[in-house]
Structure formats: C-alpha cells, structure tokens
Amino acid sequence: MKEVDARGLSCPEPLMLTAEALKNANGPIKVLVSEPHQKTNIEKFAKDKGKKATSTAKGSEFEIVIE
C-alpha cells in the first residue's frame, strides 16, 4: 500500500500529493494528515474520483485509506 505523509503541510499540498499518488497507484493508498479540514478535503476528493475513503483518528492526526 502506497503511503502519503502530508502531516504538517498546508493546503493544497495534501490534496496535490493525494492526487499524484492516486494517479500512479495500483491499489489502495494511505494518506496521513494532521488537520480535520484536510481529512474532509481528502475524503471529498476521493468520493469525487469514485473511490471509497475510510478515515481513522490516530491521536490528533488522521489516517485515510482510499480504495
């Protein structure tokens, strides 16, 4: 599983990194972000691309798996 570590980055960097990873991925990708609005943006982006996004809170950070 490909992992995108976007923790601590400012918008729109997490979304740009996720888009690039999805373009090159052959399977699920895991995206790590540190802000709730970034989690929401990634989930919406995945849905708009026809993908399923599952989010988990890891302390004060979030892990989103896109399939």
Side-chain angles (χ1 to χ4, degrees):
M1 179 182 306
K2 185 168 181 140
E3 184 174 297
V4 175
D5 188 350
R7 295 174 290 187
L9 299 178
S10 299
C11 286
E13 283 183 284
L15 205 52
M16 292 167 52
L17 292 172
T18 301
E20 188 65 28
L22 276 176
K23 194 175 2 175
N24 300 321
N26 292 333
I29 65 167
K30 182 193 303 181
V31 183
L32 306 172
V33 295
S34 49
E35 300 292 330
H37 69 276
Q38 294 169 336
K39 176 183 85 76
T40 303
N41 288 345
I42 300 293
E43 290 170 336
K44 184 179 183 316
F45 178 78
K47 184 179 177 188
D48 289 347
K49 295 292 181 187
K51 305 283 187 182
K52 177 184 172 207
T54 307
S55 302
T56 309
K58 301 280 186 182
S60 63
E61 300 175 337
F62 302 94
E63 176 182 293
I64 306 123
V65 176
I66 301 173
E67 302 178 76

